[in-house]
Each structure stands twice: as structure tokens, then as C-alpha cells.
Amino acid sequence: MIRGRRYIKTLTAIFAAAMLLMFLAGCGKSRDVATSWNITETTNLDKLTVELGGVITGPEGKSVTMTVDGVETGIVPGTYEGSIVLTLTDSNIVKFSDTLIHPFRQALYLDETGVVAAKSVLPAAGAYALSNNVLTGVNITSKGENFNGIFAAGGAYTVKDAVIDFTGNGANDFAGYGAAIMSTGEGTTLVVDGAKVKTQGAVRTAALADKSSNLIVKNSDLQAMNGVLPADYVSNVSPGDMKDVPWMLGLSGNCRATNLLGNNTTATYINSSIAAEGWGVLSIDNGQNTKLTAINSKISITGVSGYGTYAIGNSTNAFYGCEFKVADYAAINRGGNVIFAASTPETVAQLNTELKLGLTDSELSSIAQTKTTINSDRFAVMWHGQGNVKVMDDTIINTKKAVFLDKGQTADISVDGSKGAQLNSESGVIIQIIDDDDPGPVTVDGKMANKGVYKETTEPAVKAKDFNVAAVNSSDVTATFSNITLKGDFYNATRGG
């Protein structure tokens, strides 16, 4: 009996100790961070409280990202409960300039070897799988700031049916810091097929291509909405610091849906819907000789202000069978070449080869020949820099104001109506030429702030003695219209010079 009682007491003690250990283990999954906590490995918690002034860091050369139930949250003061993972990843440092060096964090980092786990925040990636260079099951939600979704920096991959939902600001859409989808580097090809991407935040780009990469987006829906700018932000046009559209363009908004950067970079959108609440939909910036192409796609401004595409740096912005619905301009030209035409089978087949789109015969045959239609609440094309525009095939342009607005810039306009192209201006103006009303920025604390004020001259116009209006001049706006009936006026209100 005595032995039996002792045995029972021993079992009771062991059970009590086990329960205590389990309780302590449960308590070990809870953490209160009041000052600084340096983690040395990926850490799982059930509850985390970050007090005001509390920070969580990792070893040198590492980044820390927090997810709660698979959602990237940022690490800000508050109490979090659920499946909390503090993921340590190798740093992905992207240098934009000497003063702008960004520590990228991304759900999935791809290079020529595949998914690089050491640089990927895998708890934020969803139930992804990579097989034969096809990535499936991607589901990324971010409620923090400056977090990237898919970052492709090498290799050739297809991403199928990805779902990405980002809320919160990015930091630099000249570098892709905070973009949902990004390709970068010569030799990188990223095909995005069937994606649904939604972002809401200042410079929180939905898709971005950089540094000679080839980005192909097809059968996808991309939407970008404005965010709330930091309280201390001063509107400026300094590359990398600019987080809203220059007001001198007559626009508002703080998020471009897409951006195309670097030299010889290519981005193509096929059978897709791309929309921005403000600023711009298909933008190009900070590069040379880029190619931006859209085929049978919808390009929309959903808010009260914005453009469809921006051409700069000898870019080619070409639209075949596309539908524009914009508040201000279908295109802004500052040194590029813009084409509006139909998606004929011959043209699409040629683009498939030239742009290395990789479309199969079945995909090519499924692209129906469609005309381009532009509906703008203001203008179709605005120049604030030299550039060319071609309107071809059965393209239809409908504007409430002038079809073409040139702000004192050299331009070449070609409209061929032999296949039914139309220019329809509600105001009855085909071309309006005015002086450039951009006052330029003012330097404030080393940044080019949008604080310039345009002052129209009050001096009477004086005829230039040596200017021959009958001759072709290098600074002219030259327009050629063929096989088309035009209804509207042409106004030249520039002083020249």
C-alpha cells in the first residue's frame, strides 16, 4: 500500500511538472517589447505587444519582417495575437542614389536558381509552389509599408493566378521600393498570367519593370489607389523623393499603377485591365529606349485626375486594340513616341517576336482584332517636351477639349484615316498650341519642390523678323492628316522661342 501511494504521488508530481512546463512553454510564446529586442533566428509567437519606442531587430546583414496569420503587418506599436512569425531574411539592399539606399523585404525573391528562401518572407507568400519555372498558389497580403510582393532578379518565370493585396505606402517608385510585382536586371523575364493585384498607398506600385528586364502581364487585373502622404512631406520632383504627381501637369494623385524604368527595359500588357485612381496608369520614368506596349487592354483613371501613359527618354509607348478612359490625358509626351492602332493579327504576331512575349499559337488566335478607343474628359495627348504621335487604323479619339495640346514643344503628329480613324472634340478644337506654362520647381532643403509659380507675360507679342512661317523649322509642330474628314479648329497661341 505504501509503495502504491508513493507511486501515485510520483505520477501526480510528474503530471503537475509536465503541466507547469506546458504552461511555461505557452507563456514563452508571448512577448512584450518595451525597448529593443534583437532576435537571432526566425521566431514564432502567439501574442506580441510592441510598446511605444519598442523595436525588433536582427543581426547585421539581416532584415526582420512580421506576419500575423500570414499577413505582413509592419512592426509598429500595438498588441498582436494569432500565428505571429518574425522572419529573419538576408538583406536585399537596393541603392538608388548615395542618399537613398533601400533595405528591400519581399515575400518571394526569385533569381536564376529559383525561389531564394534566405531572401524570402515565406510566411507571407501563401501556399506557393514552383515547378518547371511556373509559380502557383501565390497569395500575398501586406498592411505594412515598403514591403514587396514578388521580386524577380534573374531567370525566366511565369506566375499563375497570383492574388496580391497591399495597403500602406511605398517609399520610392523610381526604385520599386514597395511594389507588388517587380522584375529587374538584364536577362530577367517575368510573365504574370491571371493575376489580381490591388494596392492602396502612396507610390505603392502594382507592377514595375527595371534595368533591362522583360515584364509581361496578361489576363490580369491591376488596380492602384491613392494613399495618405506623410504629414511632413513636401511635394517635389526629385527622383526617388517624389511621392505625388507634379501639380504643374494639371494633375493630382500619389500612386502610379505601373512604372517602367532603366535602359532598354520592356513591359507588355495583354488582355488586361490596369487602373489608377490618380496620377497615371502606365508610366515611364528615369530611363532610355524603353518599350511599353498594351494589347487589347483597358487603361483607366478611376478618380478625378490622371493620365493613361507617359512617354519619355525616347520610349515607344504603343497601344493596339486598347480602351482608354481617362480624366485628363490619354498620353503625356516628354520625349517619346506614342502609337495608337488596332490589334491586327499581323501586328500582334510581329510584336510576339520582337518583344519576346512567348505567346502560343492558341493565344495568338484568341486575341481578337480590336480598335483603340480613347475617351478623355480633357485632352488626348499633351506635350511638355518634344515627341511624336501616330494615330492609325480605325482608332477613335473622343475628347471634351482639344484632341492635341502642345505646350510650346517640337512635335510631329501623324493621323492616317484610311481605315476609319476619327478625331472628335466636343470643344471643336483639333490642335491647340500654347506657351509652356510649367514654372519649374524651387529648391527647398536640397529638393526640387513643386512651389514654382507661372507668370504669364504682359508684354505685347512682337513678330520675329527672321522667322519664315512658310518654311519648315526645327522647332515646329508638324501635323500630317491623310484620308480623314476633320471637324474643328487649329489654334496657335504660342509666342515661340
Side-chain angles (χ1 to χ4, degrees):
M1 290 291 295
I2 295 174
R3 287 182 178 179
R5 288 175 181 174
R6 287 178 178 175
Y7 179 72
I8 291 171
K9 288 181 178 179
T10 301
L11 283 177
T12 302
I14 292 172
F15 178 77
M19 291 298 293
L20 179 61
L21 287 172
M22 289 176 65
F23 174 76
L24 290 174
C27 290
K29 292 185 178 181
S30 178
R31 181 84 184 211
D32 190 322
V33 181
T35 54
S36 179
W37 181 27
N38 185 276
I39 64 173
T40 57
E41 61 182 358
T42 294
T43 303
N44 295 272
L45 300 170
D46 294 322
K47 183 177 180 180
L48 173 67
T49 298
V50 180
E51 298 184 14
L52 192 64
V55 295
I56 302 174
T57 60
E60 185 176 354
K62 299 285 186 178
S63 295
V64 182
T65 301
M66 181 168 72
T67 53
V68 180
D69 297 329
V71 176
E72 190 276 334
T73 62
I75 303 175
V76 295
T79 297
Y80 306 88
E81 293 186 80
S83 177
I84 302 168
V85 184
L86 298 170
T87 303
L88 271 184
T89 53
D90 292 344
S91 296
N92 176 20
I93 302 299
V94 176
K95 181 178 179 180
F96 178 74
S97 67
D98 290 339
T99 57
L100 293 173
I101 301 172
H102 305 303
F104 275 49
R105 299 169 300 118
Q106 53 281 317
L108 289 167
Y109 184 106
L110 296 165
D111 67 11
E112 60 278 357
T113 67
V115 174
V116 181
K119 292 185 177 181
S120 301
V121 183
L122 298 180
Y128 81 93
L130 179 64
S131 177
N132 297 321
N133 287 17
V134 177
L135 191 63
T136 57
V138 175
N139 193 321
I140 306 169
T141 301
S142 169
K143 296 182 179 179
E145 296 190 345
N146 307 334
F147 185 69
N148 284 62
I150 299 171
F151 185 95
Y157 297 96
T158 296
V159 180
K160 293 277 291 184
D161 303 323
V163 177
I164 303 177
D165 191 341
F166 280 8
T167 304
N169 291 345
N172 182 357
D173 67 355
F174 286 80
Y177 192 25
I181 295 171
M182 178 173 175
S183 64
T184 183
E186 187 174 0
T188 301
T189 296
L190 181 64
V191 179
V192 178
D193 188 0
K196 294 186 181 299
V197 181
K198 183 172 68 174
T199 71
Q200 182 169 18
V203 293
R204 201 71 187 269
T205 320
L208 184 145
D210 195 7
K211 296 180 181 176
S212 304
S213 63
N214 186 12
L215 175 65
I216 301 161
V217 178
K218 56 187 181 181
N219 311 313
S220 296
D221 186 355
L222 278 58
Q223 299 180 45
M225 292 177 284
N226 293 326
V228 178
L229 290 164
D232 60 349
Y233 174 73
V234 176
S235 184
N236 70 89
V237 292
S238 295
D241 289 310
M242 183 173 70
K243 293 178 174 61
D244 64 341
V245 62
W247 70 265
M248 295 91 86
L249 294 176
L251 303 173
S252 63
N254 56 46
C255 186
R256 295 181 270 196
T258 72
N259 215 356
L260 178 56
L261 308 163
N263 298 332
N264 304 306
T265 309
T266 302
T268 307
Y269 298 85
I270 308 165
N271 291 337
S272 294
S273 176
I274 316 103
E277 182 180 2
W279 196 342
V281 184
L282 296 171
S283 178
I284 295 178
D285 219 328
N286 211 41
Q288 293 288 323
N289 304 318
T290 55
K291 291 183 179 180
L292 173 60
T293 308
I295 302 169
N296 285 23
S297 293
K298 293 183 178 181
I299 299 152
S300 309
I301 291 292
T302 58
V304 298
S305 180
Y307 63 74
T309 191
Y310 193 96
I312 191 173
N314 195 38
S315 65
T316 298
N317 302 44
F319 303 92
Y320 304 96
C322 291
E323 180 182 337
F324 285 80
K325 187 176 181 180
V326 294
D328 294 290
Y329 316 109
I332 296 178
N333 207 328
R334 189 175 174 81
N337 306 279
V338 179
I339 300 170
F340 300 115
S343 55
T344 66
E346 296 78 14
T347 297
V348 175
Q350 183 178 352
L351 293 170
N352 189 40
T353 300
E354 289 181 358
L355 302 177
K356 300 178 180 179
L357 302 179
L359 298 175
T360 64
D361 290 342
S362 176
E363 287 179 303
L364 287 171
S365 63
S366 70
I367 298 175
Q369 178 171 330
T370 307
K371 63 187 174 186
T372 289
T373 303
I374 294 171
N375 289 292
S376 173
D377 290 340
R378 294 179 73 201
F379 310 95
V381 182
M382 184 271 277
W383 284 259
H384 71 126
Q386 180 276 332
N388 307 318
V389 169
K390 287 184 178 181
V391 179
M392 303 166 57
D393 300 326
D394 49 352
T395 297
I396 296 178
I397 299 178
N398 302 312
T399 63
K400 291 187 177 180
K401 296 185 180 296
V403 176
F404 302 113
L405 173 65
D406 185 288
K407 296 188 175 185
Q409 308 298 323
T410 302
D412 185 79
I413 302 168
S414 174
V415 180
D416 181 358
S418 61
K419 295 182 180 179
Q422 298 178 27
L423 306 180
N424 304 312
S425 167
E426 191 174 301
S427 67
V429 180
I430 303 298
I431 297 179
Q432 173 76 66
I433 305 173
I434 64 174
D435 285 333
D436 190 356
D437 59 357
D438 187 343
V442 176
T443 302
V444 177
D445 296 329
K447 295 180 182 178
M448 297 183 290
N450 286 319
K451 291 189 175 183
V453 177
Y454 175 71
K455 295 180 180 179
E456 189 169 358
T457 181
T458 59
E459 298 295 325
V462 178
K463 183 178 180 179
K465 295 180 179 179
D466 299 327
F467 190 84
N468 183 358
V469 296
V472 175
N473 298 276
S474 61
S475 59
D476 283 347
V477 175
T478 303
T480 303
F481 301 89
S482 58
N483 303 299
I484 189 170
T485 299
L486 298 175
K487 183 180 179 180
D489 297 315
F490 294 74
Y491 291 110
N492 181 1
T494 181
R495 292 167 175 261

